[in-house]
Amino acid sequence: MTTSIDSAPGTGPGGSESPVAASIVLNGERRAVESGLSVAELLHRLGLDSGMVVVERNRRILSRADLADTPVEDGDRFELVHFVGGG
Amino acid sequence: MGSATCGDSALVIADRPFESRLIVGTGKYRTNSEMFRAILASGAEMVTVAVRRVDLDRSKEEGILYHLDPAQFFLLPNTAGCYTAADAVRYARLGRAAGLNDWVKLEVIGDQRTLLPDTGATLEAARELVADGFQVLAYTNDDLITALRLEDAGCAAVMPLASPIGSGLGLVNPYYIREIKRRLAVPVIVDAGVGTASDACLTMEQGVDGVLMNTALADAENPVGMAGAMRLAVRAGREAYLAGRMAAREIAVPSSPASGMLE
């Protein structure tokens, strides 16, 4: 199942036309996202605080400092994790 | 600390002192508020947390960092739920990437029914994580040989179980736990199986350095009340150990003088 992440208004080229999409897998779920995003922008669109989440991209952990410079590319597999209650 | 105590020192793991010898988990509480109040009542400084996927549909309120301040508590990420060394290493690295510390409660499970540890895989993961700069606190069973190997592997603490995780069966093998404590130089923390205050007290009376628990608090009818009881029990068990118990004998000895009785 593919769900689309809403792009910010007015960012698509040609006004209402939706931008080219990249197909990625987020926490095991396939999603279409606007191409050209950075990982930091992806987190922002998901409503996630990058200070609270750890990102693994294609089995490599991204440092917080790299989030803004790392592009989201077609076929990327992301794991977004955080701390929850546990023993 | 009153004068009628044995002057206990702090629990020191990897050069870091902890005033409390009770470590608590954060799982299975009915509410986050109840969890927070129970942790406060327990007096614990170190609390364990798990690494899991963010729920993308429910957004951000569920993360434990919204409820626990890392400046107030020392958060110890665990590798709970991992069944292979590779998975445990992966989870440990994700936990470290959160940026709080480079410690991990290493747990590699070998069996779903008992949640007993896969000691071979635990050793393998411990070696890899130590080489990668982690302070490894390794959950293991009450087997001396595995405990010795984990110490040799460079673990900062070894954490044998009292009984299976979440069972509440208490300390099933005090002799093995005592022997592990006698033979290891690194701190021995008994992790899992404690059900109530007497279990915690009895465990600490064996001379171990600390106790880690979660379900005993979270599943109590009143977690905050039980947390307070556990705080006292761990303290009492430690004080009793330091004070040195009397020898047990299977015959009565009168406490009042035998002499001076009326004719």
Side-chain angles (χ1 to χ4, degrees), chain B residues 176-194:
Chain B
Y176 276 18
I177 294 296
R178 278 200 301 279
E179 187 60 15
I180 288 170
K181 175 54 198 168
R182 273 195 285 266
R183 300 283 295 276
L184 268 62
V186 297
V188 173
I189 313 287
V190 170
D191 174 11
V194 164

Side-chain angles (χ1 to χ4, degrees), chain B:
Chain B
M1 203 171 289
S3 58
T5 69
C6 290
D8 192 14
S9 52
L11 164 64
V12 178
I13 305 174
D15 295 328
R16 193 189 194 289
F18 296 91
E19 288 301 320
S20 174
R21 292 179 179 276
L22 174 56
I23 303 168
V24 299
T26 54
K28 299 197 283 191
Y29 283 92
R30 295 169 189 97
T31 65
N32 284 311
S33 156
E34 185 174 72
M35 171 197 70
F36 183 73
R37 286 179 288 120
I39 293 172
L40 281 186
S42 77
E45 297 161 71
M46 192 184 328
V47 305
T48 63
V49 294
V51 174
R52 290 293 182 271
R53 280 175 165 169
V54 172
D55 184 341
L56 294 174
D57 298 320
R58 288 190 50 208
S59 186
K60 56 189 178 187
E61 252 54 74
E62 55 177 339
I64 201 114
L65 293 180
Y66 287 94
H67 307 283
L68 284 181
D69 180 3
Q72 186 177 4
F73 303 101
F74 184 88
L75 300 190
L76 177 66
N78 71 26
T79 64
C82 292
Y83 280 76
T84 65
D87 271 352
V89 168
R90 185 185 186 194
Y91 276 69
R93 288 181 175 142
L94 287 166
R96 179 171 64 177
L100 299 179
N101 55 57
D102 54 7
W103 292 36
V104 64
K105 179 193 159 182
L106 173 63
E107 200 175 306
V108 187
I109 301 302
D111 176 61
Q112 277 191 349
R113 179 175 148 83
T114 59
L115 297 181
L116 287 171
D118 181 331
T119 54
T122 302
L123 259 172
E124 184 188 340
R127 291 189 181 109
E128 188 167 347
L129 291 168
V130 168
D132 195 17
F134 279 87
Q135 300 295 346
V136 178
L137 288 70
Y139 164 71
T140 183
N141 62 21
D142 55 14
D143 170 56
L144 171 67
I145 309 308
T146 305
L148 288 168
R149 299 282 178 274
L150 286 166
E151 181 177 61
D152 289 346
C155 290
V158 174
M159 307 207 292
L161 50 73
S163 50
I165 295 170
S167 69
L169 289 172
L171 185 63
V172 298
N173 202 331
Y175 165 71
Y176 276 18
I177 294 296
R178 278 200 301 279
E179 187 60 15
I180 288 170
K181 175 54 198 168
R182 273 195 285 266
R183 300 283 295 276
L184 268 62
V186 297
V188 173
I189 313 287
V190 170
D191 174 11
V194 164
T196 187
S198 55
D199 298 335
C201 191
L202 184 65
T203 300
M204 289 305 296
E205 285 175 16
Q206 311 310 312
V208 298
D209 300 279
V211 178
L212 195 163
M213 64 182 70
N214 186 343
T215 309
L217 304 187
D219 276 5
E221 280 184 37
N222 176 348
V224 179
M226 185 58 82
M230 289 297 190
R231 179 178 65 81
L232 296 170
V234 167
R235 184 69 186 279
R238 179 65 181 174
E239 293 286 341
Y241 167 73
L242 292 173
R245 62 154 297 153
M246 63 164 278
R249 37 174 107 85
E250 295 195 351
I251 187 166
V253 178
S255 302
S256 305
S259 62
M261 301 295 292
L262 303 184
E263 290 194 12

